[in-house]
Amino acid sequence: MSHVKVLAGSVREFKKDTILAPVYITLEAVLETVLPTVMASLIDQMGGGSMQPVVHYGLILILVAMASLFCGTMAARHAATASCGYARNLRHDLFYKVQTYAFSDIDQFSSSSLITRMTTDVTNIQNAYGMIIRIAFRAPLMMIFAIIMSLTINVSMAMIFIFMVPVIAFIIFLISWGAIPIFRRIFHEYDEMNNSVQENVQGIRVVKSFVREDYEIRKFKEKSEKVRYDFTHAVRLVQLTMPVMMIGIFAAMLTVAARGTRLIILSNGTQLTTGDLSALITYGVQIMASIMMVSMIVVMIVMSQESIERVCEVLDHDASITSPENGIETVADGSIDFDHVSFRYSKKSTRNALTDIDLHIRSGETVGIIGGTGSSKSSMVQLISRLYDATEGTVKVGGVDVKEYDLKALRDAVAVVLQKNVLFSGTIADNLRWGNKNATMEQIQHACHLARADEFIDQFPDGYDTWIEQGGTNVSGGQKQRLCIARALLKNPKILILDDSTSAVDTRTDALIRESFRDEIPDTTKLIIAQRISSVQDADRILVMDGGRIAEMGTHEQLLKLHGIYREVYDTQNASANGKEAV
């Protein structure tokens, strides 16, 4: 019932159509069960040699059939509107829910799984929903009305149908029950297959540069073959319902025809007429057709059951990071305080990504951060805008615990240019306005000048109206980084975090960007994560991260005197640079 309650919340404006479809279906079922009785009367009256009964009952048949057709058409129309609208709302609800997730929540589900849930799983639920509000009402009602009408004609003959229904239903139930675990396994295999596709498309340049197309094709084929095998097995099992249905239908029809004919002959038509036998056979067909419809519904529900579980899992999942009630809406300044902060990505993790970080940064200060791969440089700065929450200790911005801020207010005050720079399909101006949707062209051009992006934008024929392909595939890595920096600057943030975001930029341009920051945004706190010493040596302070801890801290000159990690990196990079110059 909990899943039904969750999914019912997406019906909303389509409640009217959801109600009207079963109403029309009920009327259609009643009218269809009236038809055989009228036809029986017509058959029994045809022997009198007069056309009056034919005309009379014929008109009734036409009117009832037309009314049934109208009700069926309206039911189909409302069911289609309801199911398609419901699927739209459900996808919207899933997408909006995912937008509230923190990075840790996305990590828990995986992006490929979320895509499968919003597409394949929602489609399965849509199909099941459409069948439920239409066929799931029609089939039981048709069965009940047909049995009642059969009982009014002849109880002993109707008992044949009543006996056959539970037998067939039980067999169908056993078949469907066996298929459920297979369908559950298939959807997990869909996730793996979609993840393979997603990885391949995103990394297509790497695949081609290493000539790994054949390997990727084999890998995808294996996953696809696994889905095909299991799906074929499940469908074969489910399709056993059809021969079971046909055996039941033919057995019932033969029994009714044989016993009915014998009864007509022995009673000379007093206990059962030819018209009654015709009506009974028609009602038998309706009953068995209803069972067949029920079997189709069972199959669809079996297929959609796992989809329902997966969709509800997303809708029921509460985001691990949310805004507090009446959260603070204003960030006073760009000061940052880490009070003995430790952090791990998962409760299951056995070791911390960050351990006992105690750091206090003044508003407007420029802090450089360097460290080897896996030293948790990015992990530390992601705690500032609550992309993750600290496991122990407190992170403060503007003197206030970040957990006390409204999330939107906090993240509006912090601009982050992450390692994986992302541009979206649209013009350059469209992408830049992600930083400020109301930015004027003058503001956009100024931000691009600070990021030194204007140097290449002005060379494009369409300038700021140049189209950017999805993911920024038609611009270079350095151009993409500069556009992302300009986008961050348009936020006019109190804190600017550059997470290795000038790695693809030459040293001259890197220096010019830092010079622009120093001259144009002196009051903004700047955190610069870099691999090159030259990118951080002018910072007010430099942090050296090692193993999730702050190993060294000080100015460029102070760190050189320590003869520690920083000096070692500095000497290595200088030696490499001098070697290149010598060559």
Side-chain angles (χ1 to χ4, degrees):
M1 286 300 293
S2 60
H3 288 345
V4 173
K5 186 176 180 180
V6 171
L7 294 176
S10 298
V11 178
R12 294 196 289 278
E13 69 269 31
F14 298 100
K15 285 181 181 178
K16 179 180 176 182
D17 293 292
T18 301
I19 294 170
L20 285 176
V23 169
Y24 280 111
I25 282 294
T26 302
L27 293 173
E28 183 191 19
V30 171
L31 291 169
E32 284 200 18
T33 51
V34 169
L35 285 171
T37 302
V38 177
M39 181 62 72
S41 300
L42 175 60
I43 292 172
D44 290 336
Q45 294 292 324
M46 287 177 65
S50 172
M51 288 297 295
Q52 184 178 355
V54 176
V55 174
H56 174 72
Y57 288 111
L59 287 173
I60 295 175
L61 283 172
I62 292 172
L63 290 174
V64 173
M66 290 180 65
S68 177
L69 177 63
F70 172 77
C71 291
T73 303
M74 294 301 294
R77 179 180 177 182
H78 287 293
T81 302
S83 61
C84 294
Y86 174 69
R88 185 201 69 182
N89 286 351
L90 189 57
R91 283 194 180 94
H92 284 187
D93 293 345
L94 283 167
F95 187 78
Y96 296 156
K97 184 72 173 184
V98 171
Q99 297 305 304
T100 68
Y101 283 177
F103 283 5
S104 56
D105 302 311
I106 300 294
D107 295 341
Q108 177 178 332
F109 287 102
S110 85
S111 56
S112 60
S113 177
L114 289 172
I115 291 170
T116 305
R117 294 171 201 239
M118 290 188 206
T119 52
T120 304
D121 289 330
V122 171
T123 299
N124 288 337
I125 295 173
Q126 174 187 347
N127 293 335
Y129 185 74
M131 292 186 73
I132 286 171
I133 62 175
R134 190 179 177 192
I135 300 177
F137 271 86
R138 175 188 171 85
L141 287 173
M142 182 70 74
M143 187 186 302
I144 292 169
F145 292 152
I147 289 174
I148 291 173
M149 297 301 290
S150 298
L151 288 169
T152 61
I153 295 173
N154 189 286
V155 175
S156 63
M157 300 292 286
M159 292 304 296
I160 297 173
F161 302 134
I162 294 174
F163 171 77
M164 192 66 68
V165 168
V167 174
I168 296 175
F170 179 71
I171 296 173
I172 291 173
F173 171 78
L174 290 179
I175 294 172
S176 302
W177 186 260
I180 289 175
I182 303 175
F183 282 115
R184 182 175 291 122
R185 185 168 66 246
I186 287 170
F187 285 110
H188 291 293
E189 291 167 358
Y190 266 130
D191 286 346
E192 293 178 8
M193 187 172 67
N194 287 344
N195 186 55
S196 177
V197 173
Q198 186 179 15
E199 283 184 344
N200 183 271
V201 172
Q202 288 179 344
I204 192 66
R205 286 171 174 77
V206 177
V207 172
K208 289 187 175 299
S209 65
F210 282 89
V211 197
R212 298 284 283 178
E213 293 93 339
D214 291 342
Y215 170 77
E216 288 294 320
I217 290 171
R218 284 197 305 272
K219 187 172 72 171
F220 177 79
K221 185 178 180 180
E222 288 174 3
K223 295 182 183 300
S224 180
E225 180 63 23
K226 196 174 181 182
V227 171
R228 183 205 64 79
Y229 176 81
D230 282 342
F231 208 90
T232 302
H233 180 53
V235 170
R236 283 176 178 171
L237 185 61
V238 167
Q239 284 182 342
L240 287 175
T241 57
M242 186 58 67
V244 170
M245 288 293 309
M246 297 310 296
I247 290 171
I249 289 174
F250 288 131
M253 292 301 99
L254 287 173
T255 306
V256 168
R259 292 191 60 184
T261 303
R262 184 170 182 273
L263 189 59
I264 291 172
I265 294 171
L266 293 177
S267 67
N268 199 24
T270 57
Q271 295 184 21
L272 190 71
T273 66
T274 304
D276 290 338
L277 178 59
S278 173
L280 279 171
I281 292 174
T282 304
Y283 286 131
V285 172
Q286 289 181 347
I287 292 169
M288 294 308 157
S290 298
I291 298 175
M292 189 176 295
M293 290 181 192
V294 170
S295 70
M296 291 170 57
I297 295 167
V298 170
V299 171
M300 184 57 66
I301 291 176
V302 167
M303 291 179 63
S304 64
Q305 183 177 357
E306 181 62 17
S307 293
I308 290 170
E309 294 281 348
R310 288 155 54 83
V311 166
C312 287
E313 188 180 7
V314 175
L315 294 175
D316 285 335
H317 182 79
D318 293 325
S320 57
I321 297 177
T322 56
S323 295
E325 189 175 352
N326 301 319
I328 298 172
E329 303 258 347
T330 304
V331 179
D333 55 48
S335 61
I336 305 168
D337 299 288
F338 286 81
D339 293 331
H340 300 285
V341 169
S342 295
F343 168 70
R344 63 174 65 98
Y345 280 98
S346 169
K347 294 178 180 178
K348 299 178 181 178
S349 299
T350 56
R351 58 181 293 274
N352 288 336
L354 293 167
T355 302
D356 196 28
I357 303 297
D358 196 52
L359 174 66
H360 305 280
I361 301 171
R362 301 183 304 276
S363 182
E365 188 175 4
T366 299
V367 176
I369 306 173
I370 71 166
T373 302
S375 59
S376 297
K377 307 181 295 297
S378 299
S379 301
M380 185 174 73
V381 297
Q382 287 175 359
L383 301 180
I384 297 171
S385 55
R386 286 197 76 193
L387 298 177
Y388 290 98
D389 268 341
T391 306
E392 298 175 15
T394 305
V395 180
K396 295 180 180 178
V397 170
V400 177
D401 189 337
V402 292
K403 294 181 181 179
E404 297 180 17
Y405 282 111
D406 176 80
L407 271 178
K408 185 177 184 301
L410 174 64
R411 290 174 181 171
D412 276 342
V414 181
V416 184
V417 184
L418 296 170
Q419 284 177 316
K420 295 181 180 179
N421 297 289
V422 176
L423 294 174
F424 298 89
S425 55
T427 66
I428 288 177
D430 291 337
N431 272 276
L432 294 174
R433 285 196 173 98
W434 274 64
N436 178 2
K437 63 181 179 180
N438 298 316
T440 64
M441 278 308 301
E442 289 75 14
Q443 290 173 317
I444 289 174
Q445 289 169 351
H446 181 64
C448 287
H449 176 69
L450 295 182
R452 293 301 185 266
D454 57 345
E455 295 177 358
F456 64 87
I457 294 176
D458 292 339
Q459 296 176 13
F460 291 148
D462 296 326
Y464 289 88
D465 291 326
T466 299
W467 186 264
I468 298 294
E469 299 296 338
Q470 184 179 15
T473 55
N474 59 330
V475 292
S476 69
Q479 290 171 340
K480 188 189 297 186
Q481 287 185 336
R482 282 179 277 176
L483 286 172
C484 290
I485 292 171
R487 182 174 62 187
L489 290 173
L490 279 171
K491 290 183 71 174
N492 192 26
K494 288 184 168 61
I495 299 171
L496 175 63
I497 300 172
L498 303 180
D499 187 354
D500 205 16
S501 52
T502 57
S503 58
V505 174
D506 61 85
T507 53
R508 173 186 167 277
T509 304
D510 187 12
L512 290 173
I513 292 172
R514 286 183 282 110
E515 183 181 343
S516 298
F517 291 167
R518 186 169 55 249
D519 297 338
E520 297 286 341
I521 51 172
D523 297 329
T524 298
T525 304
K526 297 166 282 292
L527 303 182
I528 303 172
I529 298 175
Q531 299 294 334
R532 295 187 301 222
I533 294 291
S534 59
S535 297
V536 299
Q537 65 183 24
D538 295 331
D540 299 317
R541 271 190 295 170
I542 301 170
L543 310 180
V544 180
M545 300 292 297
D546 185 38
R549 298 175 182 271
I550 299 177
E552 299 172 5
M553 181 167 57
T555 63
H556 174 68
E557 291 75 17
Q558 290 171 340
L559 291 175
L560 287 178
K561 293 177 182 178
L562 290 177
H563 293 279
I565 298 173
Y566 186 85
R567 180 59 184 260
E568 182 181 345
V569 174
Y570 175 79
D571 289 342
T572 301
Q573 291 184 1
N574 275 354
S576 298
N578 292 334
K580 289 178 182 178
E581 290 175 4
V583 173

